[in-house]
Coordinates of all heavy atoms in Angstrom, one line a residue:
M73 N -8.7 -15.0 -29.5 CA -9.0 -13.8 -28.7 C -10.1 -14.0 -27.9 O -10.4 -13.6 -26.7 CB -8.9 -12.5 -29.6 CG -8.9 -11.3 -28.6 SD -7.3 -10.9 -27.9 CE -7.6 -9.3 -27.2
G74 N -11.3 -14.3 -28.5 CA -12.5 -14.5 -27.9 C -12.5 -15.6 -26.9 O -13.2 -15.6 -25.9
D75 N -11.5 -16.6 -26.9 CA -11.4 -17.7 -25.9 C -10.9 -17.1 -24.6 O -11.3 -17.5 -23.5 CB -10.3 -18.7 -26.4 CG -10.3 -20.0 -25.7 OD1 -11.4 -20.3 -25.2 OD2 -9.3 -20.5 -25.5
I76 N -10.1 -16.0 -24.6 CA -9.6 -15.4 -23.4 C -10.8 -14.9 -22.6 O -10.9 -15.0 -21.4 CB -8.5 -14.4 -23.6 CG1 -7.2 -15.1 -24.1 CG2 -8.2 -13.5 -22.4 CD1 -6.2 -14.2 -24.4
F77 N -11.7 -14.2 -23.3 CA -12.8 -13.4 -22.6 C -13.8 -14.4 -22.2 O -14.5 -14.1 -21.3 CB -13.4 -12.4 -23.6 CG -12.6 -11.1 -23.8 CD1 -11.9 -11.0 -25.0 CD2 -12.4 -10.3 -22.8 CE1 -11.1 -9.9 -25.2 CE2 -11.6 -9.1 -23.0 CZ -11.0 -8.9 -24.2
S78 N -13.8 -15.6 -22.8 CA -14.9 -16.6 -22.3 C -14.3 -17.4 -21.1 O -15.1 -17.7 -20.3 CB -15.2 -17.5 -23.5 OG -14.1 -18.3 -23.9
N79 N -13.1 -17.4 -21.0 CA -12.5 -18.3 -19.9 C -12.2 -17.4 -18.6 O -12.3 -17.9 -17.5 CB -11.2 -18.9 -20.3 CG -11.3 -20.1 -21.3 OD1 -12.5 -20.7 -21.3 ND2 -10.4 -20.4 -22.0
Y80 N -11.9 -16.1 -18.9 CA -11.5 -15.3 -17.7 C -12.4 -14.1 -17.8 O -12.9 -13.6 -18.8 CB -10.0 -14.8 -17.9 CG -9.2 -16.0 -17.8 CD1 -8.6 -16.5 -19.0 CD2 -8.8 -16.7 -16.8 CE1 -7.7 -17.5 -19.0 CE2 -8.0 -17.8 -16.7 CZ -7.4 -18.1 -17.8 OH -6.6 -19.2 -17.8
D81 N -12.7 -13.4 -16.6 CA -13.4 -12.2 -16.5 C -12.5 -11.1 -16.6 O -12.3 -10.4 -15.5 CB -14.2 -12.3 -15.1 CG -15.2 -11.1 -15.0 OD1 -15.5 -10.5 -16.0 OD2 -15.6 -10.8 -13.9
I82 N -12.1 -10.8 -17.7 CA -11.2 -9.7 -18.0 C -11.8 -8.3 -17.6 O -11.0 -7.5 -16.9 CB -10.6 -9.6 -19.5 CG1 -10.0 -10.9 -19.9 CG2 -9.8 -8.5 -19.7 CD1 -8.8 -11.2 -19.2
L83 N -13.0 -8.1 -18.0 CA -13.5 -6.7 -17.6 C -13.8 -6.7 -16.1 O -13.6 -5.5 -15.5 CB -14.9 -6.6 -18.4 CG -14.8 -6.6 -19.9 CD1 -16.2 -6.4 -20.6 CD2 -14.0 -5.4 -20.2
G84 N -14.2 -7.7 -15.4 CA -14.3 -7.7 -14.0 C -12.9 -7.4 -13.3 O -12.8 -6.7 -12.3
A85 N -11.9 -8.1 -13.9 CA -10.4 -7.8 -13.3 C -10.0 -6.4 -13.6 O -9.5 -5.8 -12.6 CB -9.6 -8.8 -13.9
F86 N -10.4 -5.8 -14.7 CA -10.1 -4.4 -14.9 C -10.9 -3.5 -14.1 O -10.3 -2.6 -13.5 CB -10.4 -4.2 -16.4 CG -10.2 -2.7 -16.8 CD1 -8.9 -2.3 -17.0 CD2 -11.2 -1.8 -17.1 CE1 -8.6 -1.0 -17.4 CE2 -11.0 -0.5 -17.4 CZ -9.6 -0.1 -17.6
W87 N -12.2 -3.9 -13.7 CA -12.9 -3.0 -12.7 C -12.2 -3.0 -11.4 O -12.2 -2.0 -10.7 CB -14.3 -3.5 -12.9 CG -15.1 -2.6 -11.8 CD1 -15.9 -3.2 -10.8 CD2 -15.4 -1.3 -11.7 NE1 -16.6 -2.2 -10.1 CE2 -16.2 -1.0 -10.7 CE3 -15.0 -0.2 -12.5 CZ2 -16.7 0.2 -10.3 CZ3 -15.4 1.0 -12.3 CH2 -16.2 1.3 -11.1
V88 N -11.8 -4.2 -10.9 CA -11.2 -4.3 -9.6 C -9.9 -3.6 -9.6 O -9.6 -2.9 -8.6 CB -10.9 -5.8 -9.3 CG1 -10.1 -6.0 -8.1 CG2 -12.2 -6.5 -9.1
T89 N -9.1 -3.6 -10.7 CA -7.9 -2.7 -10.8 C -8.3 -1.3 -10.6 O -7.6 -0.5 -9.9 CB -7.2 -3.0 -12.1 OG1 -6.9 -4.4 -12.1 CG2 -6.0 -2.2 -12.2
I90 N -9.3 -0.8 -11.2 CA -9.7 0.6 -11.1 C -10.1 1.0 -9.7 O -9.7 1.9 -9.2 CB -10.8 0.9 -12.1 CG1 -10.5 0.6 -13.6 CG2 -11.5 2.3 -11.9 CD1 -9.3 1.7 -14.1
Q91 N -10.9 0.0 -9.1 CA -11.3 0.2 -7.7 C -10.1 0.3 -6.8 O -10.0 1.2 -5.9 CB -12.3 -0.8 -7.3 CG -13.6 -0.8 -7.9 CD -14.5 -2.0 -7.5 OE1 -13.9 -3.1 -7.3 NE2 -15.8 -1.8 -7.5
L92 N -9.2 -0.6 -7.0 CA -7.9 -0.6 -6.1 C -7.1 0.7 -6.3 O -6.5 1.2 -5.3 CB -7.2 -1.9 -6.4 CG -7.7 -3.2 -5.9 CD1 -6.8 -4.3 -6.3 CD2 -7.8 -3.2 -4.3
S93 N -7.1 1.1 -7.5 CA -6.3 2.4 -7.8 C -6.9 3.6 -7.1 O -6.3 4.4 -6.5 CB -6.3 2.7 -9.3 OG -5.5 1.6 -10.0
V94 N -8.2 3.7 -7.2 CA -9.0 4.8 -6.5 C -8.8 4.7 -5.0 O -8.5 5.8 -4.3 CB -10.4 4.8 -6.9 CG1 -11.3 5.8 -6.1 CG2 -10.5 5.1 -8.4
L95 N -8.9 3.4 -4.5 CA -8.9 3.3 -3.0 C -7.5 3.6 -2.5 O -7.2 4.2 -1.4 CB -9.3 1.9 -2.5 CG -10.8 1.6 -2.6 CD1 -11.1 0.2 -2.3 CD2 -11.5 2.5 -1.7
S96 N -6.4 3.2 -3.4 CA -5.0 3.4 -3.0 C -4.8 5.0 -3.0 O -4.0 5.5 -2.1 CB -4.1 2.8 -3.9 OG -4.3 1.3 -3.8
A97 N -5.2 5.7 -4.0 CA -5.1 7.1 -4.1 C -5.8 7.8 -2.9 O -5.1 8.7 -2.4 CB -5.6 7.6 -5.4
I98 N -6.9 7.4 -2.5 CA -7.6 8.1 -1.4 C -6.8 7.7 0.0 O -6.5 8.6 0.8 CB -9.1 7.5 -1.3 CG1 -9.8 8.1 -2.5 CG2 -9.7 7.9 0.1 CD1 -11.2 7.5 -2.6
G99 N -6.3 6.5 0.1 CA -5.6 6.2 1.3 C -4.3 6.8 1.4 O -3.9 7.3 2.4
S100 N -3.5 6.9 0.3 CA -2.3 7.7 0.3 C -2.5 9.1 0.5 O -1.7 9.8 1.2 CB -1.5 7.4 -1.0 OG -2.2 7.9 -2.1
L101 N -3.5 9.7 0.1 CA -3.9 11.1 0.2 C -4.1 11.3 1.8 O -3.5 12.3 2.4 CB -5.0 11.6 -0.6 CG -5.5 13.0 -0.4 CD1 -4.4 14.0 -0.8 CD2 -6.8 13.3 -1.0
L102 N -4.9 10.4 2.3 CA -5.1 10.7 3.8 C -3.9 10.4 4.7 O -3.7 11.3 5.6 CB -6.2 9.6 4.2 CG -7.6 9.8 3.7 CD1 -8.6 8.7 4.1 CD2 -8.2 11.2 4.1
L103 N -3.1 9.4 4.4 CA -1.9 9.1 5.1 C -0.9 10.2 4.9 O -0.2 10.7 5.9 CB -1.2 7.8 4.7 CG 0.0 7.4 5.4 CD1 -0.2 7.2 6.9 CD2 0.6 6.2 4.8
G104 N -0.7 10.7 3.7 CA 0.3 11.8 3.4 C -0.2 13.1 4.2 O 0.7 13.8 4.7
T105 N -1.5 13.4 4.1 CA -1.9 14.6 4.8 C -1.7 14.5 6.3 O -1.3 15.4 6.9 CB -3.4 14.8 4.5 OG1 -3.6 14.8 3.1 CG2 -4.1 16.1 5.2
F106 N -2.0 13.3 6.9 CA -1.9 13.1 8.3 C -0.3 13.3 8.7 O 0.1 14.0 9.7 CB -2.3 11.7 8.7 CG -2.1 11.3 10.1 CD1 -2.8 12.1 11.1 CD2 -1.1 10.4 10.6 CE1 -2.7 11.7 12.5 CE2 -1.0 10.1 11.9 CZ -1.6 10.7 12.8
L107 N 0.6 12.7 7.8 CA 2.0 12.8 8.1 C 2.5 14.3 7.9 O 3.3 14.6 8.7 CB 2.8 11.8 7.2 CG 2.7 10.3 7.6 CD1 3.2 9.5 6.6 CD2 3.3 10.1 9.0
A108 N 1.9 14.9 7.0 CA 2.3 16.3 6.7 C 1.9 17.2 8.0 O 2.7 18.0 8.4 CB 1.7 16.9 5.5
V109 N 0.8 16.8 8.5 CA 0.3 17.6 9.8 C 1.2 17.2 10.9 O 1.6 18.2 11.7 CB -1.1 17.3 10.1 CG1 -1.5 17.7 11.5 CG2 -2.1 17.8 9.0
L110 N 1.6 16.0 11.1 CA 2.5 15.6 12.1 C 3.9 16.3 11.9 O 4.5 16.8 12.9 CB 2.8 14.1 12.1 CG 1.7 13.3 12.7 CD1 2.1 11.8 12.5 CD2 1.3 13.6 14.0
R111 N 4.3 16.4 10.8 CA 5.7 17.1 10.5 C 5.7 18.5 10.7 O 6.8 19.0 11.1 CB 6.2 16.6 9.1 CG 6.4 15.2 9.0 CD 7.5 14.8 8.1 NE 8.8 15.4 8.2 CZ 9.6 15.3 7.2 NH1 9.4 14.5 6.2 NH2 10.8 16.1 7.3
V112 N 4.7 19.3 10.5 CA 4.6 20.7 10.9 C 4.0 21.0 12.2 O 3.7 22.2 12.4 CB 3.9 21.4 9.7 CG1 4.7 21.2 8.4 CG2 2.5 21.0 9.5
S113 N 3.7 20.0 12.9 CA 3.0 20.2 14.3 C 3.9 21.1 15.2 O 5.1 20.8 15.2 CB 2.7 18.9 14.9 OG 2.3 19.0 16.2
P114 N 3.4 21.9 16.0 CA 4.1 22.6 17.0 C 4.6 21.7 18.2 O 5.5 22.1 18.9 CB 3.3 23.7 17.5 CG 1.8 23.2 17.1 CD 1.9 22.4 16.0
V115 N 4.0 20.5 18.3 CA 4.3 19.7 19.3 C 5.6 18.8 19.0 O 5.6 18.1 17.9 CB 3.2 18.7 19.8 CG1 3.5 17.8 20.9 CG2 1.9 19.6 20.2
R116 N 6.6 18.9 19.8 CA 7.9 18.2 19.3 C 7.8 16.7 19.2 O 8.4 16.1 18.2 CB 8.9 18.6 20.4 CG 10.3 17.9 20.1 CD 11.3 18.4 21.1 NE 12.5 17.7 21.1 CZ 13.6 17.9 20.2 NH1 13.5 18.9 19.4 NH2 14.7 17.1 20.4
V117 N 7.0 16.1 20.0 CA 6.9 14.6 20.0 C 6.2 14.2 18.7 O 6.6 13.2 18.1 CB 6.1 14.1 21.1 CG1 5.8 12.6 21.1 CG2 6.9 14.4 22.5
L118 N 5.2 15.0 18.2 CA 4.4 14.6 17.1 C 5.3 14.8 15.9 O 5.3 14.0 14.9 CB 3.2 15.4 16.9 CG 2.0 15.2 18.0 CD1 0.9 16.0 17.8 CD2 1.7 13.7 17.9
R119 N 6.1 15.9 15.8 CA 7.1 16.1 14.8 C 8.0 15.0 14.7 O 8.5 14.6 13.6 CB 7.8 17.5 15.0 CG 7.2 18.6 14.3 CD 8.2 19.8 14.2 NE 9.2 19.9 15.3 CZ 9.0 20.7 16.4 NH1 7.9 21.5 16.5 NH2 9.9 20.8 17.3
L120 N 8.6 14.5 15.9 CA 9.6 13.5 15.8 C 8.9 12.2 15.3 O 9.6 11.4 14.5 CB 10.0 13.3 17.2 CG 11.0 12.1 17.5 CD1 12.3 12.4 16.7 CD2 11.3 11.8 18.9
I121 N 7.7 11.9 15.6 CA 7.0 10.7 15.1 C 6.8 10.9 13.6 O 7.1 9.8 12.9 CB 5.6 10.5 15.8 CG1 5.9 10.1 17.3 CG2 4.7 9.4 15.1 CD1 4.5 10.1 18.1
G122 N 6.4 11.9 13.1 CA 6.2 12.1 11.7 C 7.5 12.0 10.9 O 7.6 11.4 9.8
T123 N 8.4 12.6 11.4 CA 9.8 12.7 10.8 C 10.3 11.2 10.8 O 11.0 10.7 9.8 CB 10.7 13.6 11.5 OG1 10.1 14.9 11.3 CG2 12.1 13.7 10.8
S124 N 10.3 10.5 11.9 CA 10.8 9.1 12.0 C 10.1 8.3 11.0 O 10.8 7.4 10.3 CB 10.6 8.7 13.4 OG 11.3 9.4 14.3
Y125 N 8.8 8.3 10.9 CA 8.0 7.4 10.0 C 8.5 7.8 8.5 O 8.8 6.8 7.8 CB 6.5 7.7 10.2 CG 5.7 6.8 9.1 CD1 5.5 5.5 9.4 CD2 5.3 7.3 8.1 CE1 4.7 4.8 8.6 CE2 4.5 6.6 7.2 CZ 4.3 5.2 7.4 OH 3.6 4.5 6.6
V126 N 8.6 9.0 8.2 CA 9.0 9.3 6.7 C 10.4 8.9 6.5 O 10.6 8.4 5.5 CB 8.7 10.8 6.6 CG1 9.3 11.3 5.3 CG2 7.3 11.2 6.6
N127 N 11.3 9.1 7.4 CA 12.6 8.6 7.2 C 12.8 7.1 7.1 O 13.6 6.6 6.2 CB 13.6 9.2 8.2 CG 13.8 10.7 8.0 OD1 13.8 11.2 7.0 ND2 14.1 11.4 9.1
V128 N 12.1 6.4 8.0 CA 12.2 4.9 7.9 C 11.7 4.4 6.6 O 12.3 3.6 5.9 CB 11.6 4.3 9.0 CG1 11.3 2.8 8.8 CG2 12.3 4.6 10.4
I129 N 10.5 4.9 6.1 CA 9.9 4.4 4.9 C 10.7 4.8 3.7 O 10.9 4.0 2.8 CB 8.4 4.8 4.8 CG1 7.5 4.2 6.0 CG2 7.7 4.5 3.5 CD1 7.5 2.7 6.0
R130 N 11.1 6.1 3.7 CA 11.8 6.6 2.4 C 13.1 5.8 2.4 O 13.7 5.8 1.3 CB 12.0 8.1 2.5 CG 10.8 8.8 2.3 CD 11.0 10.4 2.3 NE 11.9 10.7 1.3 CZ 12.5 11.9 1.3 NH1 12.1 12.9 2.1 NH2 13.4 12.3 0.3
N131 N 13.7 5.4 3.4 CA 15.1 4.9 3.3 C 15.1 3.4 3.3 O 16.1 2.7 3.3 CB 16.0 5.4 4.5 CG 16.3 6.8 4.5 OD1 16.4 7.3 3.4 ND2 16.4 7.4 5.6
T132 N 14.0 2.7 3.2 CA 13.8 1.3 3.0 C 13.5 1.0 1.6 O 12.7 1.5 1.0 CB 12.6 0.8 3.9 OG1 12.8 1.2 5.3 CG2 12.5 -0.7 3.8
P133 N 14.3 0.1 1.1 CA 14.2 -0.2 -0.3 C 12.7 -0.8 -0.6 O 12.3 -1.6 0.2 CB 15.3 -1.3 -0.7 CG 16.3 -1.2 0.5 CD 15.5 -0.6 1.6
L134 N 12.3 -0.5 -1.8 CA 11.0 -1.0 -2.1 C 10.9 -2.6 -2.2 O 9.8 -3.1 -1.7 CB 10.5 -0.5 -3.6 CG 9.1 -0.8 -4.0 CD1 8.1 -0.3 -3.1 CD2 8.9 -0.2 -5.3
T135 N 11.9 -3.1 -2.6 CA 12.0 -4.6 -2.7 C 11.8 -5.3 -1.2 O 10.9 -6.2 -1.1 CB 13.2 -5.1 -3.3 OG1 13.5 -4.6 -4.5 CG2 13.2 -6.7 -3.4
L136 N 12.5 -4.6 -0.3 CA 12.3 -5.1 1.1 C 10.9 -4.9 1.7 O 10.3 -5.8 2.4 CB 13.4 -4.4 2.0 CG 13.6 -4.9 3.4 CD1 13.9 -6.4 3.4 CD2 14.5 -4.0 4.1
L137 N 10.3 -3.8 1.3 CA 8.9 -3.5 1.7 C 8.0 -4.5 1.1 O 7.0 -5.0 1.8 CB 8.6 -2.1 1.3 CG 9.2 -0.9 2.1 CD1 8.9 0.4 1.5 CD2 8.8 -1.1 3.6
M138 N 8.1 -4.8 -0.2 CA 7.3 -5.8 -0.9 C 7.5 -7.2 -0.3 O 6.4 -7.8 0.0 CB 7.6 -5.9 -2.3 CG 7.4 -4.6 -3.1 SD 5.7 -4.3 -3.5 CE 5.5 -5.6 -4.7
V139 N 8.7 -7.6 0.0 CA 8.9 -8.9 0.6 C 8.2 -8.9 2.0 O 7.6 -10.0 2.4 CB 10.4 -9.3 0.7 CG1 10.6 -10.5 1.6 CG2 10.9 -9.5 -0.7
A140 N 8.4 -7.9 2.8 CA 7.9 -8.0 4.2 C 6.3 -7.8 4.1 O 5.6 -8.7 4.9 CB 8.3 -6.7 4.9
S141 N 5.7 -7.2 3.1 CA 4.3 -7.3 2.9 C 3.7 -8.7 2.6 O 2.8 -9.1 3.1 CB 3.9 -6.2 1.9 OG 4.3 -5.0 2.3
V142 N 4.4 -9.2 1.6 CA 4.0 -10.6 1.2 C 4.1 -11.6 2.2 O 3.2 -12.4 2.6 CB 4.8 -11.0 -0.1 CG1 4.5 -12.4 -0.5 CG2 4.4 -10.2 -1.3
L143 N 5.2 -11.6 2.9 CA 5.4 -12.5 4.0 C 4.5 -12.3 5.2 O 4.0 -13.2 5.8 CB 6.9 -12.5 4.5 CG 7.9 -13.0 3.5 CD1 9.3 -12.9 4.0 CD2 7.6 -14.5 3.1
G144 N 4.3 -11.0 5.5 CA 3.5 -10.7 6.6 C 2.0 -11.0 6.4 O 1.4 -11.6 7.2
L145 N 1.6 -10.8 5.1 CA 0.1 -11.0 4.8 C -0.1 -12.6 4.7 O -1.1 -13.0 5.1 CB -0.3 -10.4 3.4 CG -0.5 -8.9 3.6 CD1 -0.7 -8.3 2.2 CD2 -1.6 -8.6 4.5
S146 N 0.9 -13.3 4.2 CA 0.7 -14.8 4.1 C 0.6 -15.3 5.4 O 0.0 -16.3 5.7 CB 1.9 -15.4 3.2 OG 3.1 -15.3 3.9
F147 N 1.5 -14.8 6.4 CA 1.4 -15.3 7.8 C 0.2 -15.0 8.4 O -0.5 -15.8 9.2 CB 2.6 -14.7 8.6 CG 2.7 -15.1 10.1 CD1 3.1 -16.5 10.4 CD2 2.3 -14.3 11.0 CE1 3.1 -16.8 11.7 CE2 2.3 -14.6 12.3 CZ 2.7 -15.9 12.7
I148 N -0.3 -13.7 8.3 CA -1.5 -13.2 9.0 C -2.7 -14.0 8.4 O -3.6 -14.5 9.1 CB -1.7 -11.7 8.8 CG1 -0.7 -11.0 9.7 CG2 -3.1 -11.3 9.3 CD1 -0.6 -9.6 9.4
L149 N -2.8 -14.1 7.1 CA -4.0 -14.7 6.4 C -3.9 -16.2 6.3 O -4.8 -16.9 6.1 CB -4.2 -14.1 5.1 CG -4.4 -12.6 5.0 CD1 -4.6 -12.2 3.5 CD2 -5.8 -12.3 5.7
G150 N -2.8 -16.8 6.6 CA -2.5 -18.3 6.6 C -2.5 -18.7 5.2 O -2.8 -20.0 4.9
V151 N -2.1 -17.9 4.1 CA -2.1 -18.4 2.7 C -0.8 -18.9 2.5 O 0.2 -18.2 2.7 CB -2.5 -17.3 1.9 CG1 -2.4 -17.6 0.4 CG2 -3.8 -16.7 2.1
P152 N -0.6 -20.2 2.0 CA 0.8 -20.7 1.7 C 1.4 -20.1 0.5 O 0.6 -19.7 -0.4 CB 0.5 -22.3 1.5 CG -0.9 -22.3 1.1 CD -1.6 -21.2 1.7
L153 N 2.7 -19.9 0.5 CA 3.3 -19.3 -0.7 C 3.6 -20.1 -1.8 O 3.7 -19.7 -2.9 CB 4.6 -18.6 -0.1 CG 4.5 -17.4 0.8 CD1 5.9 -17.0 1.2 CD2 3.7 -16.3 0.2
S154 N 3.6 -21.4 -1.5 CA 3.8 -22.3 -2.6 C 2.5 -23.1 -2.9 O 1.6 -23.1 -2.1 CB 4.9 -23.5 -2.3 OG 4.4 -24.2 -1.2
A155 N 2.4 -23.7 -4.2 CA 1.2 -24.3 -4.6 C 1.2 -25.7 -4.1 O 0.2 -26.4 -4.1 CB 1.1 -24.3 -6.2
A156 N 2.3 -26.3 -3.7 CA 2.4 -27.7 -3.3 C 2.0 -27.9 -1.9 O 1.9 -27.1 -1.1 CB 3.8 -28.2 -3.4

């Protein structure tokens, strides 16, 4: 068990996980609030934009969103998907 802690920075990885969780919570709160404002807006175009975004994201399977994210980020960052 001590060998794992000497070879890998487990506590550092745990701290990064906590940071990512907090940043994700803040980002989703901001995005959700913005979309809620769009959906209840008195301006028809803004309501349409908010409703369209919510319907597209809610009706897209999570697996498809994950694949699109991984492929998109690997293309943008230039990171190869295979180790070879």
Side-chain angles (χ1 to χ4, degrees):
M73 185 74 171
D75 194 33
I76 291 176
F77 287 107
S78 63
N79 290 338
Y80 302 103
D81 186 17
I82 302 294
L83 296 177
F86 181 70
W87 177 241
V88 169
T89 302
I90 298 297
Q91 289 175 329
L92 287 173
S93 298
V94 169
L95 290 174
S96 297
I98 292 170
S100 63
L101 177 67
L102 293 174
L103 181 63
T105 302
F106 178 70
L107 287 171
V109 168
L110 284 181
R111 294 214 39 197
V112 298
S113 172
V115 180
R116 180 175 165 86
V117 174
L118 294 178
R119 264 195 331 261
L120 181 65
I121 291 171
T123 302
S124 299
Y125 178 81
V126 169
N127 284 333
V128 166
I129 295 300
R130 284 181 62 190
N131 292 326
T132 304
L134 183 58
T135 306
L136 187 60
L137 290 173
M138 296 282 289
V139 168
S141 297
V142 168
L143 292 177
L145 286 176
S146 68
F147 177 74
I148 291 170
L149 299 177
V151 177
L153 294 177
S154 64

